[in-house]
Amino acid sequence: MVMIAPSLLSANFLRLEEEIKNTEEAGVDMLHIDIMDGHFVPNITIGPFVVEFIRKATNLPLDVHLMIEDPDRYIKDFISAGADFITVHYEALKHLHRTINWIKESGARSGVSLNPATPIWSLDHILEEVEMVLIMSVNPGFGGQTFIPGALEKISLLREMIRDKGLNVLIEVDGGIKIDNARKVAEAGADILVMGSGFYNSKDYKNLMKELRATFEG
Ligand code: DX5
Ligand code: ZN
């Protein structure tokens, strides 16, 4: 079954606790939290301090997407704050293999993310080590951007690669996913769909989840 991970970036931060409760009650699978540093991406969001509060507000798995330079410096802090998944960017690391192992040793599940221009073969020697690959379907930095169609081919290629290697790696897709393209993304091979504006701009989260489930089945 396709999993849905709303991205809190598009939630109303003035009413964060209420937003989180309503998101959980809508029946989502995990909560996606975007961490931006103003260097790796041209935007700044939140740090471990806020993630710690989010952890107290929900039992949902916290899927922390680090769009920051030198993520090694902060991984431990995010895990202590309650992150279940830590995803780092391929483009941000010199020693990706070491970082991935470090995330796992620290007790979290590890993910690696690829920007739209980074080819799938970059994962050749790391796929065995990770629990999740996050394919960016927009250039990271902001919510509300348009889905880049080329991501679909990357998802199918990755699905094939995972199958050929006989691995059990989750494929997450992030950026520009809405009710009208969710099924296409899932059919290309995604396991987890991140939805920011597509989720939080809808009036009724429960109803949106119902509609989404129906699109996958119909
Ligand atoms: C973009 C973030 C996404 C973002 C997605 O850099 O990684 O998680 O919140 O938002 P939408 O779904 O609006 O594209
Ligand atoms: Zn994200």
Side-chain angles (χ1 to χ4, degrees):
M1 201 177 70
V2 190
M3 290 182 267
I4 303 294
S7 159
L8 269 190
L9 190 62
S10 293
N12 182 346
F13 270 64
L14 263 188
R15 304 187 283 110
L16 198 51
E17 187 175 13
E18 193 186 328
E19 286 278 66
I20 293 170
K21 292 273 176 265
N22 291 339
T23 304
E24 188 166 358
E25 273 167 26
V28 310
D29 301 281
M30 54 177 83
L31 209 52
H32 185 84
I33 305 175
D34 291 300
I35 312 295
M36 306 184 185
D37 66 350
H39 292 278
F40 183 71
V41 289
N43 196 6
I44 301 177
T45 58
I46 58 169
F49 177 77
V50 179
V51 173
E52 213 174 310
F53 280 98
I54 297 172
R55 177 71 292 164
K56 288 180 190 145
T58 181
N59 292 319
L60 285 171
L62 300 185
D63 170 30
V64 173
H65 177 193
L66 297 183
M67 285 160 278
I68 61 178
E69 264 167 28
D70 200 6
D72 289 351
R73 279 178 67 192
Y74 299 99
I75 284 167
K76 255 214 160 76
D77 294 342
F78 282 105
I79 294 176
S80 309
D84 296 282
F85 280 91
I86 296 274
T87 297
V88 291
H89 266 262
Y90 172 88
E91 302 82 4
L93 280 154
K94 285 200 186 99
H95 304 287
L96 179 62
H97 187 276
R98 186 167 61 199
T99 302
I100 291 296
N101 280 299
W102 192 29
I103 295 172
K104 291 193 289 188
E105 278 160 26
S106 309
R109 301 181 76 191
S110 63
V112 59
S113 181
L114 300 186
N115 277 338
T118 306
I120 286 298
W121 51 254
S122 315
L123 297 168
D124 263 352
H125 306 285
I126 196 68
L127 199 58
E128 286 83 354
E129 306 290 337
V130 297
E131 273 118 342
M132 180 165 91
V133 173
L134 171 52
I135 301 289
M136 289 306 301
S137 40
V138 296
N139 286 293
F142 302 93
Q145 302 180 79
T146 307
F147 186 89
I148 298 170
L152 290 174
E153 195 198 349
K154 286 176 79 176
I155 300 164
S156 336
L157 283 172
L158 176 59
R159 177 48 68 209
E160 250 172 62
M161 194 166 153
I162 292 171
R163 197 185 305 125
D164 291 350
K165 290 184 186 246
L167 299 170
N168 190 15
V169 177
L170 292 166
I171 302 179
E172 183 176 46
V173 183
D174 185 6
I177 300 180
K178 312 271 180 236
I179 182 101
D180 11 309
N181 61 3
R183 182 174 172 150
K184 222 166 36 182
V185 181
E187 280 174 353
D191 300 294
I192 308 168
L193 306 184
V194 175
M195 276 184 111
S197 49
F199 186 90
Y200 286 103
N201 289 354
S202 79
K203 296 242 149 48
D204 182 342
Y205 305 158
K206 241 186 215 158
N207 193 51
L208 175 74
M209 283 304 291
K210 226 195 269 161
E211 281 177 20
L212 272 169
R213 300 277 181 227
T215 358
F216 299 137
E217 279 153 26

